[in-house]
């Protein structure tokens, strides 16, 4: 059975909501799926037989991109994990009125690619309340699933 980890950082619940929608899509597609809050992350979970890791994190900050607190700790731990040839995708809620709208997507994608991981598709950036974008989130999950299936 194909397995994915969805690791997210969430302060207001928006990223967690998105992770739930994405997770539901993977479960319906027959994947063994684990949703993990970055605060509860164990680096050993990224080892072994995984089809992909899906990462979600909002961005804060006015002058630079600042990651959600618990996710920022997880982000720093990535340097010590072998991610070579590991497939991934990234999602984030945001507000396009900010200069660094969903800047976490770019930051995470750049880091994972520098560590040898393989991006499955462009990151998902949801502007505003994710509860108003359920279809967009589900469609993105489907595109990630398709990327895994043709890999």
């Amino acid at each position: 059975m194909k397995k994915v980890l969805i690791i997210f950082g969430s302060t207001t619940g928006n990223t967690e909501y998105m992770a739930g929608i994405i997770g539901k899509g993977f479960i319906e597609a027959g994947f063994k799926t684990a949703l993990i809050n970055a605060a509860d992350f164990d680096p050993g979970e990224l080892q072994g037989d995984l089809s992909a890791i899906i990462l979600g994190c909002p961005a804060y900050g006015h002058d630079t991109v600042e990651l959600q607190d618990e996710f920022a700790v997880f982000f720093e731990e990535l340097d010590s994990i072998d991610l070579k040839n590991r497939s991934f995708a990234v999602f984030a809620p945001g507000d396009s009125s900010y200069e660094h709208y969903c800047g976490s997507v770019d930051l995470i994608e750049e880091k994972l690619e520098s560590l040898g991981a393989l991006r499955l598709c462009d990151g998902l950036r949801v502007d505003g309340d994710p509860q108003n974008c359920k279809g967009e989130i589900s469609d993105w999950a489907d595109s990630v699933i398709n990327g895994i299936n043709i890999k």
Side-chain angles (χ1 to χ4, degrees):
M1 174 179 277
K2 294 180 180 179
K3 180 180 178 182
V4 297
L5 294 181
I6 302 172
I7 303 168
F8 65 91
S10 190
T11 301
T12 65
N14 287 335
T15 312
E16 183 173 11
Y17 174 81
M18 292 174 70
I21 300 279
I22 294 164
K24 183 178 180 204
F26 275 95
I27 291 167
E28 289 173 353
F31 286 77
K32 183 177 179 185
T33 305
L35 274 70
I36 303 169
N37 188 307
D40 302 321
F41 171 72
D42 170 9
E45 294 179 82
L46 287 179
Q47 305 306 315
D49 188 28
L50 291 173
S51 299
I53 55 173
I54 315 300
L55 304 173
C57 179
Y60 306 101
H62 295 285
D63 296 326
T64 61
V65 176
E66 297 175 25
L67 300 176
Q68 189 267 350
D69 291 342
E70 289 84 10
F71 196 93
V73 173
F74 161 74
F75 186 77
E76 293 306 317
E77 292 176 348
L78 289 175
D79 288 324
S80 65
I81 301 169
D82 180 12
L83 296 174
K84 189 170 174 91
N85 297 318
R86 176 76 65 201
S87 296
F88 76 93
V90 182
F91 66 95
D95 182 337
S96 61
S97 68
Y98 285 91
E99 179 180 353
H100 300 289
Y101 166 64
C102 291
S104 57
V105 171
D106 296 328
L107 195 64
I108 295 165
E109 287 178 344
E110 288 170 12
K111 177 151 190 157
L112 291 177
E113 288 175 334
S114 76
L115 295 171
L118 308 171
R119 183 171 19 151
L120 287 164
C121 65
D122 289 338
L124 172 64
R125 294 164 171 85
V126 170
D127 191 10
D129 186 350
Q131 293 188 24
N132 298 329
C133 303
K134 186 176 178 180
E136 180 183 353
I137 297 166
S138 294
D139 289 347
W140 182 82
D142 288 344
S143 72
V144 176
I145 291 164
N146 289 337
I148 294 169
N149 286 336
I150 62 171
K151 189 179 94 148

